[in-house]
PDB file of all heavy atoms in Angstrom:
ATOM      1  N   VAL A 284     192.623 105.758 142.626  1.00 98.00           N
ATOM      2  CA  VAL A 284     194.003 106.117 142.304  1.00 98.00           C
ATOM      3  C   VAL A 284     194.559 104.962 141.484  1.00 98.00           C
ATOM      4  O   VAL A 284     194.660 103.841 141.975  1.00 98.00           O
ATOM      5  CB  VAL A 284     194.858 106.343 143.569  1.00 98.00           C
ATOM      6  CG1 VAL A 284     196.303 106.657 143.174  1.00 98.00           C
ATOM      7  CG2 VAL A 284     194.287 107.460 144.430  1.00 98.00           C
ATOM      8  N   GLU A 285     194.888 105.230 140.229  1.00 98.00           N
ATOM      9  CA  GLU A 285     195.433 104.216 139.345  1.00 98.00           C
ATOM     10  C   GLU A 285     196.939 104.420 139.215  1.00 98.00           C
ATOM     11  O   GLU A 285     197.393 105.497 138.835  1.00 98.00           O
ATOM     12  CB  GLU A 285     194.821 104.321 137.948  1.00 98.00           C
ATOM     13  CG  GLU A 285     193.320 104.175 137.889  1.00 98.00           C
ATOM     14  CD  GLU A 285     192.797 104.462 136.494  1.00 98.00           C
ATOM     15  OE1 GLU A 285     193.615 104.521 135.529  1.00 98.00           O
ATOM     16  OE2 GLU A 285     191.577 104.649 136.361  1.00 98.00           O
ATOM     17  N   THR A 286     197.680 103.374 139.512  1.00 98.00           N
ATOM     18  CA  THR A 286     199.130 103.420 139.350  1.00 98.00           C
ATOM     19  C   THR A 286     199.506 102.527 138.178  1.00 98.00           C
ATOM     20  O   THR A 286     199.280 101.315 138.212  1.00 98.00           O
ATOM     21  CB  THR A 286     199.836 102.938 140.619  1.00 98.00           C
ATOM     22  OG1 THR A 286     199.430 103.749 141.727  1.00 98.00           O
ATOM     23  CG2 THR A 286     201.349 103.031 140.460  1.00 98.00           C
ATOM     24  N   HIS A 287     200.047 103.123 137.130  1.00 98.00           N
ATOM     25  CA  HIS A 287     200.443 102.387 135.925  1.00 98.00           C
ATOM     26  C   HIS A 287     201.962 102.420 135.799  1.00 98.00           C
ATOM     27  O   HIS A 287     202.572 103.494 135.852  1.00 98.00           O
ATOM     28  CB  HIS A 287     199.805 103.008 134.686  1.00 98.00           C
ATOM     29  CG  HIS A 287     198.313 103.032 134.721  1.00 98.00           C
ATOM     30  ND1 HIS A 287     197.545 101.985 134.258  1.00 98.00           N
ATOM     31  CD2 HIS A 287     197.439 103.971 135.173  1.00 98.00           C
ATOM     32  CE1 HIS A 287     196.266 102.282 134.416  1.00 98.00           C
ATOM     33  NE2 HIS A 287     196.174 103.478 134.965  1.00 98.00           N
ATOM     34  N   ALA A 288     202.551 101.253 135.634  1.00 98.00           N
ATOM     35  CA  ALA A 288     204.006 101.145 135.492  1.00 98.00           C
ATOM     36  C   ALA A 288     204.344 100.865 134.033  1.00 98.00           C
ATOM     37  O   ALA A 288     203.994  99.805 133.500  1.00 98.00           O
ATOM     38  CB  ALA A 288     204.537 100.029 136.385  1.00 98.00           C
ATOM     39  N   THR A 289     204.991 101.812 133.379  1.00 98.00           N
ATOM     40  CA  THR A 289     205.338 101.687 131.964  1.00 98.00           C
ATOM     41  C   THR A 289     206.839 101.487 131.820  1.00 98.00           C
ATOM     42  O   THR A 289     207.623 102.373 132.188  1.00 98.00           O
ATOM     43  CB  THR A 289     204.919 102.953 131.189  1.00 98.00           C
ATOM     44  OG1 THR A 289     203.502 103.098 131.265  1.00 98.00           O
ATOM     45  CG2 THR A 289     205.341 102.865 129.736  1.00 98.00           C
ATOM     46  N   PRO A 290     207.275 100.324 131.306  1.00 98.00           N
ATOM     47  CA  PRO A 290     208.718 100.131 131.113  1.00 98.00           C
ATOM     48  C   PRO A 290     209.234 101.051 130.027  1.00 98.00           C
ATOM     49  O   PRO A 290     208.639 101.169 128.955  1.00 98.00           O
ATOM     50  CB  PRO A 290     208.817  98.656 130.697  1.00 98.00           C
ATOM     51  CG  PRO A 290     207.503  98.375 130.034  1.00 98.00           C
ATOM     52  CD  PRO A 290     206.487  99.195 130.782  1.00 98.00           C
ATOM     53  N   LEU A 291     210.338 101.706 130.297  1.00 98.00           N
ATOM     54  CA  LEU A 291     210.960 102.555 129.281  1.00 98.00           C
ATOM     55  C   LEU A 291     212.029 101.798 128.514  1.00 98.00           C
ATOM     56  O   LEU A 291     212.276 102.071 127.341  1.00 98.00           O
ATOM     57  CB  LEU A 291     211.547 103.804 129.933  1.00 98.00           C
ATOM     58  CG  LEU A 291     210.564 104.652 130.760  1.00 98.00           C
ATOM     59  CD1 LEU A 291     211.264 105.880 131.323  1.00 98.00           C
ATOM     60  CD2 LEU A 291     209.346 105.055 129.939  1.00 98.00           C
ATOM     61  N   THR A 292     212.643 100.835 129.188  1.00 98.00           N
ATOM     62  CA  THR A 292     213.693 100.026 128.577  1.00 98.00           C
ATOM     63  C   THR A 292     213.140  98.637 128.262  1.00 98.00           C
ATOM     64  O   THR A 292     212.154  98.204 128.867  1.00 98.00           O
ATOM     65  CB  THR A 292     214.888  99.898 129.534  1.00 98.00           C
ATOM     66  OG1 THR A 292     214.401  99.528 130.845  1.00 98.00           O
ATOM     67  CG2 THR A 292     215.638 101.207 129.664  1.00 98.00           C
ATOM     68  N   PRO A 293     213.755  97.907 127.337  1.00 95.00           N
ATOM     69  CA  PRO A 293     213.260  96.566 127.008  1.00 95.00           C
ATOM     70  C   PRO A 293     213.555  95.562 128.110  1.00 95.00           C
ATOM     71  O   PRO A 293     214.379  95.805 128.997  1.00 95.00           O
ATOM     72  CB  PRO A 293     214.016  96.221 125.717  1.00 95.00           C
ATOM     73  CG  PRO A 293     215.273  97.034 125.784  1.00 95.00           C
ATOM     74  CD  PRO A 293     214.898  98.305 126.487  1.00 95.00           C
ATOM     75  N   ASP A 294     212.883  94.417 128.055  1.00 90.00           N
ATOM     76  CA  ASP A 294     213.135  93.340 129.019  1.00 90.00           C
ATOM     77  C   ASP A 294     214.610  92.965 129.013  1.00 90.00           C
ATOM     78  O   ASP A 294     215.254  92.912 127.962  1.00 90.00           O
ATOM     79  CB  ASP A 294     212.299  92.101 128.663  1.00 90.00           C
ATOM     80  CG  ASP A 294     210.847  92.260 129.059  1.00 90.00           C
ATOM     81  OD1 ASP A 294     210.540  93.176 129.839  1.00 90.00           O
ATOM     82  OD2 ASP A 294     210.021  91.454 128.587  1.00 90.00           O
ATOM     83  N   GLY A 295     215.122  92.691 130.210  1.00 86.00           N
ATOM     84  CA  GLY A 295     216.506  92.242 130.320  1.00 86.00           C
ATOM     85  C   GLY A 295     217.536  93.336 130.259  1.00 86.00           C
ATOM     86  O   GLY A 295     218.744  93.056 130.259  1.00 86.00           O
ATOM     87  N   HIS A 296     217.117  94.577 130.232  1.00 87.00           N
ATOM     88  CA  HIS A 296     218.071  95.685 130.185  1.00 87.00           C
ATOM     89  C   HIS A 296     218.850  95.736 131.494  1.00 87.00           C
ATOM     90  O   HIS A 296     218.293  95.565 132.579  1.00 87.00           O
ATOM     91  CB  HIS A 296     217.329  97.001 129.972  1.00 87.00           C
ATOM     92  CG  HIS A 296     218.209  98.133 129.551  1.00 87.00           C
ATOM     93  ND1 HIS A 296     218.954  98.864 130.449  1.00 87.00           N
ATOM     94  CD2 HIS A 296     218.469  98.660 128.326  1.00 87.00           C
ATOM     95  CE1 HIS A 296     219.628  99.800 129.798  1.00 87.00           C
ATOM     96  NE2 HIS A 296     219.350  99.696 128.503  1.00 87.00           N
ATOM     97  N   GLY A 297     220.141  95.963 131.401  1.00 89.00           N
ATOM     98  CA  GLY A 297     220.980  95.954 132.593  1.00 89.00           C
ATOM     99  C   GLY A 297     220.673  97.062 133.576  1.00 89.00           C
ATOM    100  O   GLY A 297     220.907  96.920 134.782  1.00 89.00           O
ATOM    101  N   ARG A 298     220.178  98.180 133.069  1.00 93.00           N
ATOM    102  CA  ARG A 298     219.809  99.303 133.929  1.00 93.00           C
ATOM    103  C   ARG A 298     218.384  99.733 133.553  1.00 93.00           C
ATOM    104  O   ARG A 298     218.187 100.726 132.855  1.00 93.00           O
ATOM    105  CB  ARG A 298     220.796 100.463 133.765  1.00 93.00           C
ATOM    106  CG  ARG A 298     222.213 100.131 134.244  1.00 93.00           C
ATOM    107  CD  ARG A 298     223.156 101.296 134.001  1.00 93.00           C
ATOM    108  NE  ARG A 298     222.815 102.466 134.789  1.00 93.00           N
ATOM    109  CZ  ARG A 298     223.196 102.660 136.039  1.00 93.00           C
ATOM    110  NH1 ARG A 298     223.922 101.734 136.663  1.00 93.00           N
ATOM    111  NH2 ARG A 298     222.866 103.755 136.684  1.00 93.00           N
ATOM    112  N   PRO A 299     217.397  98.975 134.016  1.00 98.00           N
ATOM    113  CA  PRO A 299     216.017  99.252 133.595  1.00 98.00           C
ATOM    114  C   PRO A 299     215.497 100.570 134.156  1.00 98.00           C
ATOM    115  O   PRO A 299     215.899 101.017 135.229  1.00 98.00           O
ATOM    116  CB  PRO A 299     215.236  98.070 134.189  1.00 98.00           C
ATOM    117  CG  PRO A 299     216.030  97.674 135.391  1.00 98.00           C
ATOM    118  CD  PRO A 299     217.461  97.877 134.990  1.00 98.00           C
ATOM    119  N   ARG A 300     214.610 101.184 133.400  1.00 98.00           N
ATOM    120  CA  ARG A 300     213.940 102.400 133.842  1.00 98.00           C
ATOM    121  C   ARG A 300     212.442 102.234 133.610  1.00 98.00           C
ATOM    122  O   ARG A 300     212.016 101.711 132.579  1.00 98.00           O
ATOM    123  CB  ARG A 300     214.464 103.634 133.092  1.00 98.00           C
ATOM    124  CG  ARG A 300     215.927 103.924 133.382  1.00 98.00           C
ATOM    125  CD  ARG A 300     216.461 105.070 132.538  1.00 98.00           C
ATOM    126  NE  ARG A 300     215.921 106.353 132.987  1.00 98.00           N
ATOM    127  CZ  ARG A 300     215.164 107.153 132.245  1.00 98.00           C
ATOM    128  NH1 ARG A 300     214.804 106.792 131.022  1.00 98.00           N
ATOM    129  NH2 ARG A 300     214.728 108.310 132.707  1.00 98.00           N
ATOM    130  N   THR A 301     211.673 102.667 134.584  1.00 98.00           N
ATOM    131  CA  THR A 301     210.219 102.531 134.521  1.00 98.00           C
ATOM    132  C   THR A 301     209.574 103.866 134.863  1.00 98.00           C
ATOM    133  O   THR A 301     209.993 104.540 135.804  1.00 98.00           O
ATOM    134  CB  THR A 301     209.731 101.443 135.504  1.00 98.00           C
ATOM    135  OG1 THR A 301     210.230 100.171 135.084  1.00 98.00           O
ATOM    136  CG2 THR A 301     208.214 101.395 135.573  1.00 98.00           C
ATOM    137  N   ALA A 302     208.570 104.223 134.071  1.00 98.00           N
ATOM    138  CA  ALA A 302     207.782 105.421 134.374  1.00 98.00           C
ATOM    139  C   ALA A 302     206.552 105.017 135.169  1.00 98.00           C
ATOM    140  O   ALA A 302     205.831 104.090 134.786  1.00 98.00           O
ATOM    141  CB  ALA A 302     207.360 106.124 133.088  1.00 98.00           C
ATOM    142  N   VAL A 303     206.342 105.679 136.284  1.00 98.00           N
ATOM    143  CA  VAL A 303     205.121 105.511 137.059  1.00 98.00           C
ATOM    144  C   VAL A 303     204.172 106.632 136.640  1.00 98.00           C
ATOM    145  O   VAL A 303     204.479 107.815 136.820  1.00 98.00           O
ATOM    146  CB  VAL A 303     205.397 105.594 138.573  1.00 98.00           C
ATOM    147  CG1 VAL A 303     204.095 105.464 139.360  1.00 98.00           C
ATOM    148  CG2 VAL A 303     206.384 104.527 138.999  1.00 98.00           C
ATOM    149  N   VAL A 304     203.063 106.257 136.045  1.00 98.00           N
ATOM    150  CA  VAL A 304     202.053 107.241 135.639  1.00 98.00           C
ATOM    151  C   VAL A 304     200.841 107.016 136.541  1.00 98.00           C
ATOM    152  O   VAL A 304     200.159 106.003 136.421  1.00 98.00           O
ATOM    153  CB  VAL A 304     201.674 107.091 134.157  1.00 98.00           C
ATOM    154  CG1 VAL A 304     200.708 108.195 133.755  1.00 98.00           C
ATOM    155  CG2 VAL A 304     202.918 107.115 133.279  1.00 98.00           C
ATOM    156  N   GLU A 305     200.625 107.933 137.458  1.00 98.00           N
ATOM    157  CA  GLU A 305     199.562 107.755 138.443  1.00 98.00           C
ATOM    158  C   GLU A 305     198.432 108.739 138.181  1.00 98.00           C
ATOM    159  O   GLU A 305     198.643 109.955 138.113  1.00 98.00           O
ATOM    160  CB  GLU A 305     200.097 107.929 139.861  1.00 98.00           C
ATOM    161  CG  GLU A 305     199.049 107.624 140.924  1.00 98.00           C
ATOM    162  CD  GLU A 305     199.668 107.307 142.264  1.00 98.00           C
ATOM    163  OE1 GLU A 305     200.088 106.149 142.485  1.00 98.00           O
ATOM    164  OE2 GLU A 305     199.748 108.224 143.111  1.00 98.00           O
ATOM    165  N   ALA A 306     197.230 108.194 138.035  1.00 98.00           N
ATOM    166  CA  ALA A 306     196.038 108.997 137.794  1.00 98.00           C
ATOM    167  C   ALA A 306     195.144 108.969 139.026  1.00 98.00           C
ATOM    168  O   ALA A 306     194.769 107.895 139.496  1.00 98.00           O
ATOM    169  CB  ALA A 306     195.277 108.463 136.589  1.00 98.00           C
ATOM    170  N   VAL A 307     194.829 110.135 139.554  1.00 97.00           N
ATOM    171  CA  VAL A 307     193.863 110.266 140.640  1.00 97.00           C
ATOM    172  C   VAL A 307     192.570 110.782 140.037  1.00 97.00           C
ATOM    173  O   VAL A 307     192.553 111.831 139.382  1.00 97.00           O
ATOM    174  CB  VAL A 307     194.366 111.248 141.721  1.00 97.00           C
ATOM    175  CG1 VAL A 307     193.320 111.405 142.832  1.00 97.00           C
ATOM    176  CG2 VAL A 307     195.695 110.777 142.303  1.00 97.00           C
ATOM    177  N   VAL A 308     191.495 110.026 140.225  1.00 97.00           N
ATOM    178  CA  VAL A 308     190.178 110.443 139.745  1.00 97.00           C
ATOM    179  C   VAL A 308     189.283 110.536 140.973  1.00 97.00           C
ATOM    180  O   VAL A 308     188.827 109.530 141.508  1.00 97.00           O
ATOM    181  CB  VAL A 308     189.601 109.468 138.707  1.00 97.00           C
ATOM    182  CG1 VAL A 308     188.290 110.010 138.139  1.00 97.00           C
ATOM    183  CG2 VAL A 308     190.602 109.215 137.583  1.00 97.00           C
ATOM    184  N   ALA A 309     189.101 111.768 141.461  1.00 95.00           N
ATOM    185  CA  ALA A 309     188.408 112.002 142.722  1.00 95.00           C
ATOM    186  C   ALA A 309     186.962 112.402 142.482  1.00 95.00           C
ATOM    187  O   ALA A 309     186.648 113.110 141.519  1.00 95.00           O
ATOM    188  CB  ALA A 309     189.127 113.097 143.520  1.00 95.00           C
ATOM    189  N   ALA A 310     186.087 111.955 143.384  1.00 93.00           N
ATOM    190  CA  ALA A 310     184.671 112.306 143.308  1.00 93.00           C
ATOM    191  C   ALA A 310     184.150 112.528 144.715  1.00 93.00           C
ATOM    192  O   ALA A 310     184.684 111.990 145.693  1.00 93.00           O
ATOM    193  CB  ALA A 310     183.879 111.204 142.612  1.00 93.00           C
ATOM    194  N   SER A 311     183.110 113.323 144.829  1.00 89.00           N
ATOM    195  CA  SER A 311     182.492 113.592 146.124  1.00 89.00           C
ATOM    196  C   SER A 311     181.087 114.137 145.886  1.00 89.00           C
ATOM    197  O   SER A 311     180.827 114.799 144.871  1.00 89.00           O
ATOM    198  CB  SER A 311     183.319 114.603 146.924  1.00 89.00           C
ATOM    199  OG  SER A 311     182.651 114.961 148.124  1.00 89.00           O
TER     200      SER A 311
END
Side-chain angles (χ1 to χ4, degrees):
V284 178
E285 301 173 13
T286 302
H287 301 272
T289 298
L291 304 181
T292 48
D294 283 345
H296 195 279
R298 295 178 65 84
R300 295 175 72 242
T301 295
V303 178
V304 184
E305 185 159 278
V307 178
V308 185
S311 174

